[in-house]
Amino acid sequence: MSDVPPSEATTGWPALDDVLCGIRPGDNIVWAVDRIENYRKLVLPYEEAARRAGRRRIYFRFGPDAPLLDASTGVEIHEVDPSVSFESFLRAVHAVIEDCGPGAIYVFDCISHLGDAWRSDQALGNFFVLTCPRLRDLQTITYFAIERERHSIHALGPIRETTQFYLEVFSIEAKFYVRPVKVQYRSLAVMDTIHVEDGQRLLPVEESSTLAQILSQTRWPRHLRDRRLGYWARMFRQLDRVVDAKSGGTCDPEDEHDMLVQLRRAFRVHRSGISQLAEQWLTIEDFDAIRQRLIGVGSIGGKALGMMVARSIIRDRAPDLSARLEAHDSFFVGAEVFVTFLVQNGVWWIRDQQMRPEGFLKDLDEGRRLILAGRFQRDILLQFEGMLDYFGEKPCIVRSSSILEDARGNAFSGKYESVFLSNRGSREERLTALLDAVRIVYASILDKETLRYRKSRGLLESEERMALLIMRVSGARRGRYFFPQGAGVGLSYNPYRWHSEIDPEAGVVRLVFGLGTRAVDRSDDDYTRLVSLSTPQRRPESSLDEQLDHSQRRMDVIDLQGSGLVSLPVEEIAPACGDFPLDHFIDRFQGAMPWVTFNGLIQHGGVIADLRRILHELALAYQHPVDTEFAINYLPDGSHRIHLLQCRTFQIGKAAADGGVDPATVPGRRILETRGAVIGLGREVPLHDILHVPTAAYAALSDPERHRVAKLIEKLVQKHDPARHLILIGPGRWGTSSASLGIPVRAGRIAMASAVCEVVAMHGALIPDVSLGTHFFNDLVEHDLLYLACFPGRPGNGIDESWLLNAPSLTPSFAPEAAAFHHVVRWIATGGLILHADPFHQTAVIRMAAGKV
């Protein structure tokens, strides 16, 4: 045993000792370095402290670099030649260790040179496994260095499993960083936290924008890249040559073009709905960046491709804007990983039968069971581990990115799963949670509603493979919670012109405080802030009371000590938000309760101006309106970063610029009249059928009964002839997940209708949230389903419910088995009504045709 107490064991740098919670006799410390100078920076104070403490110091010298230490300080230098053989080198080193006995300190040259000498990573790993435990038994303290991004898992796996400390060290722009990756038996709080040198201090880097900027300039440890599929290995070697030649100014343009063609084919860009955009905007450097963070091989899918194309457009068209985008450091799980997973877990033939209409809903439960219990190939597991090492214990999200997603005309909004991960705990716990999340996303390809959607869009026979986009969650930790300051969706065309001053071409954003899930998923218990980018301070609500009533009450955050995504009251989280300008997001009013307004953010103008320009540039490049998702964070210096998370075409048609005839001015008896929230293509068509849900009858039902009513409505609409124009009229929110707030139908199951009208009459305080950019809204848009909201009691709004109740209902003949609900679901053949809707004027009427009463 060593005579030196733990308190005297030191790295020679007190701040580093604090980060590591002290080192102890028996510790082996491996430094993964990007340059030998950074290793030398650590070795010198370590050796000097040991010299002052009177410790015996041994330096193993075997590499071609300049010596780390010299004998003038009393260091014992042992030069050992590794090129003779693995065995001779091992024996020579162990002979010295045994001769020195307990309590010495050791410095090894960079052991990457051993792998070079032996031409084997396995041998390097074996050497470490044989040597490290003996050094620990002798209560020594030993420094090793290994080159980052140099070795396969055959070396890194045994080294990391055996050592007590594994730390990454790198320099970017003259700043020195240390990142503990393994700290065995010490505080887990420092694991995977990047620390930056600040004088004699080492300070943790916590803010996501800064972390992404740092890590996006490093390379993640891609394990087993030498064991990729042969075609991909050859292609990537060729890519390396072309990229190197281009950076050196010697690349033949024809070679670059040929390489791009090969890459596009391999990544199946031609199968994407945005193939022309990808060919125009993605450079060979972009594909190389994808390759650097590719797990497995194959297509990266539509969602990931759309994000990369959008960022490339902004980079090339608006470099100043690009500088204010948060750097993305996402990972891409190739679609071939999914295919192999299905084959090896016995799901392939179940999946195959979904391509045939006669069997597309068969054996789904069994397929999902097999997927959720499935196993991954070893090399894929190792690459997942490398990705987790890169992210550290920072939250991430596993997002679907199938080949068909985000294509023109078929956005697949919300059809596949996304899973947030708090990503905390031991490496094994984090890996288990990640694999479960991947399986959940994979299993969503067998969801009934997703398959029905594909069938309705004529896509059952189209090849569909699930790639994944795994992203760092934008934001920062605040107490036990993690979230961005703001987030939302942005549409380059505003289909909801609630005031005559609004320019629809300027676009619209839907903002939320916290995670953007409340912007893309219709939050039935809450509201969001809708901002016209042409007149950002003009709200849809006309009075201060309405603004208060319709402000966001809850926010989505990641619970780092719990089970991931949670929704909490804003007032519970706001006190922890002292690290950013909270007044940009929240006002205090009436009893000092936090009131989410985004007034400060809008008044300062920078974020709103950037969002407008981003949407404008993307729409110009796409030559089509676009739909984006983003997050917003302010940095300590007051500047902001926008994280562009997704971009796809927005399927809505544009309203006529002149507005045509205002329906409110057309004479004739009104059955329904609305002013405000008229969204979709304007139309004047004969209305053949109405499916009416009377407010009083529906309000009297229990929630289970309301779900049965929703099923009945879906059944009736599915039987409907699409050539006959049908409007659905009923109380509260259609498509809600909460039957107490409206009618819980699924958008895809009512797609054969022409329009849906939400009547604000279920509860006095219930106002439909105009859910622009949500999955439910996008489904309505994709199916060209006109959306109306009627506010009885407001000027320009009204419904003649007595006429509707007196009209004969055909429901008993259509669904005699649902007799208990015939008074709730009333199918009316109108016999002479006209639907006239004009989004430009934000008015719509159902009126009697001329000569009808």
Side-chain angles (χ1 to χ4, degrees):
M1 295 292 293
S2 170
D3 296 327
V4 180
S7 61
E8 295 186 21
T10 177
T11 64
W13 187 359
L16 182 58
D17 288 343
D18 290 342
V19 168
L20 301 183
C21 297
I23 61 172
R24 305 168 187 168
D27 282 343
N28 292 276
I29 303 172
V30 178
W31 301 98
V33 300
D34 55 358
R35 61 195 69 175
I36 201 65
E37 290 78 12
N38 284 341
Y39 185 38
R40 192 187 315 277
K41 177 184 178 73
L42 296 160
V43 164
L44 293 177
Y46 162 67
E47 184 274 336
E48 182 182 352
R51 174 159 40 93
R52 289 198 304 266
R55 307 286 297 274
R56 187 174 181 180
R57 291 151 288 130
I58 293 91
Y59 170 34
F60 284 111
R61 172 87 178 123
F62 48 80
D65 302 315
L68 298 168
L69 300 169
D70 62 71
S72 64
T73 62
V75 172
E76 300 174 29
I77 301 177
H78 295 267
E79 296 191 9
V80 187
D81 183 4
S83 65
V84 177
S85 69
F86 170 86
E87 291 82 358
S88 65
F89 182 85
L90 181 68
R91 282 195 297 269
V93 168
H94 276 250
V96 173
I97 291 171
E98 296 301 327
D99 181 64
C100 291
I105 75 147
Y106 290 87
V107 174
F108 281 70
D109 268 348
C110 180
I111 59 177
S112 292
H113 301 310
L114 300 179
D116 293 339
W118 300 327
R119 296 176 173 83
S120 169
D121 274 2
Q122 287 91 336
L124 173 56
N126 290 337
F127 167 78
F128 196 87
V129 169
L130 292 170
T131 305
C132 174
R134 186 56 183 151
L135 291 167
R136 180 169 176 77
D137 289 342
L138 292 170
Q139 294 289 282
T140 69
I141 300 173
T142 307
Y143 269 25
F144 299 92
I146 191 167
E147 290 184 27
R148 298 176 69 227
E149 187 55 18
R150 175 77 176 272
H151 298 283
S152 74
I153 195 63
H154 297 299
L156 295 180
I159 289 172
R160 288 185 47 165
E161 290 171 8
T162 309
T163 190
Q164 286 72 55
F165 286 91
Y166 187 95
L167 303 102
E168 293 185 335
V169 180
F170 52 92
S171 297
I172 298 176
E173 298 177 353
K175 290 187 176 182
F176 181 79
Y177 297 95
V178 176
R179 177 183 186 176
V181 175
K182 179 181 180 182
V183 285
Q184 191 175 51
Y185 310 126
R186 312 297 156 84
S187 171
L188 295 179
V190 302
M191 270 187 49
D192 293 304
T193 298
I194 293 177
H195 294 73
V196 61
E197 181 183 23
D198 182 19
Q200 290 299 309
R201 301 183 300 171
L202 279 171
L203 302 179
V205 181
E206 293 286 356
E207 210 284 323
S208 71
S209 294
T210 307
L211 281 171
Q213 192 67 39
I214 294 168
L215 291 175
S216 64
Q217 299 180 59
T218 71
R219 296 164 71 93
W220 73 290
R222 298 185 319 279
H223 298 320
L224 295 184
R225 58 183 178 179
D226 55 331
R227 291 181 56 188
R228 294 180 185 269
L229 298 178
Y231 174 84
W232 288 81
R234 290 192 297 273
M235 181 179 68
F236 286 148
R237 284 196 292 270
Q238 184 180 351
L239 175 60
D240 283 336
R241 291 192 291 271
V242 173
V243 169
D244 289 344
K246 188 176 181 183
S247 64
T250 61
C251 181
D252 186 331
E254 189 171 329
D255 290 342
E256 181 180 3
H257 174 266
D258 292 344
M259 186 76 252
L260 275 169
V261 170
Q262 186 178 359
L263 287 164
R264 291 169 188 154
R265 295 293 299 182
F267 281 102
R268 305 181 73 82
V269 169
H270 62 288
R271 292 297 315 280
S272 165
I274 57 170
S275 58
Q276 291 183 338
L277 285 165
E279 291 175 9
Q280 179 180 358
W281 295 102
L282 292 186
T283 66
I284 199 164
E285 290 83 3
D286 291 324
F287 280 105
D288 189 44
I290 293 170
R291 169 265 188 108
Q292 300 300 334
R293 289 187 168 85
L294 180 65
I295 293 174
V297 296
S299 166
I300 62 172
K303 187 176 294 180
L305 194 64
M307 181 194 71
M308 294 296 293
V309 166
R311 285 177 167 272
S312 296
I313 290 169
I314 300 302
R315 175 194 64 202
D316 295 345
R317 293 181 67 106
D320 63 316
L321 275 178
S322 184
R324 292 192 291 277
L325 292 184
E326 184 172 322
H328 97 88
D329 54 352
S330 308
F331 285 77
F332 312 93
V333 182
E336 292 302 320
V337 177
F338 169 73
V339 172
T340 303
F341 180 87
L342 293 188
V343 171
Q344 295 190 344
N345 288 282
V347 192
W348 177 261
W349 293 114
I350 295 175
R351 175 69 186 84
D352 180 69
Q353 70 186 5
Q354 269 83 62
M355 299 181 70
R356 297 186 294 275
E358 66 274 12
F360 80 106
L361 294 180
K362 289 181 60 178
D363 300 323
L364 299 184
D365 289 342
E366 175 64 8
R368 290 176 62 85
R369 184 189 68 79
L370 292 170
I371 289 175
L372 294 174
R375 296 187 177 185
F376 293 87
Q377 288 183 302
R378 177 63 179 163
D379 62 321
I380 299 302
L381 290 175
L382 295 173
Q383 292 179 72
F384 278 143
E385 289 175 352
M387 181 194 70
L388 288 177
D389 293 342
Y390 174 90
F391 279 142
E393 289 192 79
K394 297 296 183 292
C396 57
I397 179 173
V398 181
R399 308 183 72 188
S400 66
S401 182
S402 79
I403 287 179
L404 295 179
E405 272 188 281
D406 287 5
R408 288 182 184 267
N410 302 294
F412 280 78
S413 301
K415 296 297 181 290
Y416 297 132
E417 292 283 354
S418 293
V419 181
F420 282 95
L421 297 172
S422 58
N423 196 28
R424 306 282 287 180
S426 68
R427 196 163 181 248
E428 292 75 17
E429 290 170 335
R430 292 187 293 131
L431 180 62
T432 297
L434 171 66
L435 298 181
D436 286 343
V438 171
R439 295 184 186 104
I440 288 170
V441 178
Y442 280 174
S444 65
I445 205 164
L446 298 183
D447 178 76
K448 286 183 180 180
E449 290 307 309
T450 300
L451 291 166
R452 288 189 177 115
Y453 172 85
R454 288 183 57 195
K455 185 174 185 290
S456 72
R457 310 301 286 177
L459 297 173
L460 273 183
E461 296 182 5
S462 298
E463 180 186 36
E464 175 69 314
R465 296 185 174 191
M466 181 66 76
L468 300 174
L469 176 62
I470 303 180
M471 308 182 77
R472 176 197 306 281
V473 178
S474 179
R477 177 177 181 172
R478 297 171 179 94
R480 67 180 286 174
Y481 302 113
F482 189 103
F483 53 93
Q485 297 161 26
V489 296
L491 309 176
S492 66
Y493 177 78
N494 183 359
Y496 180 25
R497 189 172 179 264
W498 64 82
H499 192 275
S500 60
E501 293 180 358
I502 289 174
D503 175 12
E505 296 290 345
V508 63
V509 294
R510 193 165 184 253
L511 297 175
V512 295
F513 188 43
L515 289 168
T517 44
R518 298 185 84 78
V520 297
D521 296 321
R522 191 171 191 182
S523 299
D524 293 318
D525 61 344
D526 213 350
Y527 298 94
T528 62
R529 176 71 195 267
L530 207 59
V531 180
S532 163
L533 295 179
S534 63
T535 55
Q537 297 195 44
R538 184 172 292 283
R539 298 187 61 145
E541 305 87 1
S542 59
S543 69
L544 184 62
D545 285 341
E546 284 188 350
Q547 293 175 20
L548 279 168
D549 288 342
H550 305 141
S551 65
Q552 182 182 345
R553 301 291 199 278
R554 301 179 68 83
M555 60 189 294
D556 288 355
V557 298
I558 295 175
D559 185 353
L560 298 176
Q561 299 176 21
S563 55
L565 185 68
V566 296
S567 296
L568 297 171
V570 170
E571 62 264 26
E572 184 176 326
I573 305 297
C577 297
D579 62 320
F580 64 89
L582 187 60
D583 59 354
H584 283 24
F585 302 84
I586 287 178
D587 288 338
R588 298 278 178 177
F589 188 76
Q590 292 183 346
M593 289 294 290
W595 175 23
V596 179
T597 64
F598 293 95
N599 286 341
L601 182 147
I602 292 169
Q603 289 164 6
H604 281 79
V607 169
I608 295 299
D610 282 356
L611 288 172
R612 180 171 179 172
R613 284 185 61 203
I614 288 170
L615 292 169
H616 175 72
E617 295 294 348
L618 292 175
L620 282 179
Y622 270 68
Q623 297 183 334
H624 196 283
V626 297
D627 172 357
T628 64
E629 296 179 20
F630 58 85
I632 305 164
N633 291 287
Y634 284 90
L635 303 183
D637 64 2
S639 64
H640 65 266
R641 293 293 181 269
I642 296 173
H643 199 353
L644 188 57
L645 303 170
Q646 186 170 346
C647 180
R648 58 191 174 202
T649 53
F650 182 36
Q651 311 303 332
I652 198 161
K654 296 183 179 182
D658 62 2
V661 177
D662 184 347
T665 66
V666 178
R669 179 179 175 180
R670 266 79 163 136
I671 304 303
L672 178 80
E673 184 169 9
T674 73
R675 182 170 290 277
V678 178
I679 304 175
L681 279 178
R683 63 198 72 184
E684 183 174 8
V685 296
L687 189 61
H688 301 95
D689 299 289
I690 297 175
L691 193 157
H692 175 227
V693 180
T695 300
Y698 189 73
L701 300 178
S702 65
D703 278 2
E705 288 173 323
R706 290 173 181 171
H707 281 284
R708 291 169 62 191
V709 163
K711 296 288 186 184
L712 175 58
I713 292 171
E714 292 175 351
K715 178 181 178 180
L716 292 175
V717 175
Q718 289 289 302
K719 292 181 177 181
H720 171 64
D721 179 0
R724 293 173 58 88
H725 293 290
L726 163 69
I727 186 171
L728 312 178
I729 302 174
R733 295 182 177 183
W734 288 68
T736 178
S737 59
S738 175
S740 64
L741 296 177
I743 303 175
V745 293
R746 293 160 290 184
R749 304 292 281 168
I750 60 171
M752 290 186 181
S754 297
V756 59
C757 179
E758 299 182 338
V759 180
V760 186
M762 254 185 98
H763 304 290
L766 179 64
I767 305 296
D769 186 16
V770 181
S771 305
L772 295 178
T774 65
H775 297 147
F776 177 77
F777 178 81
N778 287 343
D779 276 344
L780 300 185
V781 166
E782 277 194 352
H783 292 289
D784 191 26
L785 207 158
L786 183 72
Y787 170 86
L788 314 173
C790 179
F791 306 83
R794 286 191 184 180
N797 288 262
I799 181 170
D800 190 344
E801 198 157 79
S802 64
W803 185 93
L804 292 168
L805 290 173
N806 288 326
S809 172
L810 301 178
T811 305
S813 61
F814 291 163
E817 74 281 5
F821 299 117
H822 290 170
H823 67 297
V824 183
V825 180
R826 306 186 74 254
W827 191 287
I828 302 167
T830 65
L833 296 183
I834 293 175
L835 169 64
H836 189 178
D838 184 357
F840 184 85
H841 290 103
Q842 283 295 291
T843 57
V845 299
I846 298 174
R847 60 182 173 85
M848 293 288 188
K852 299 289 183 179
V853 293

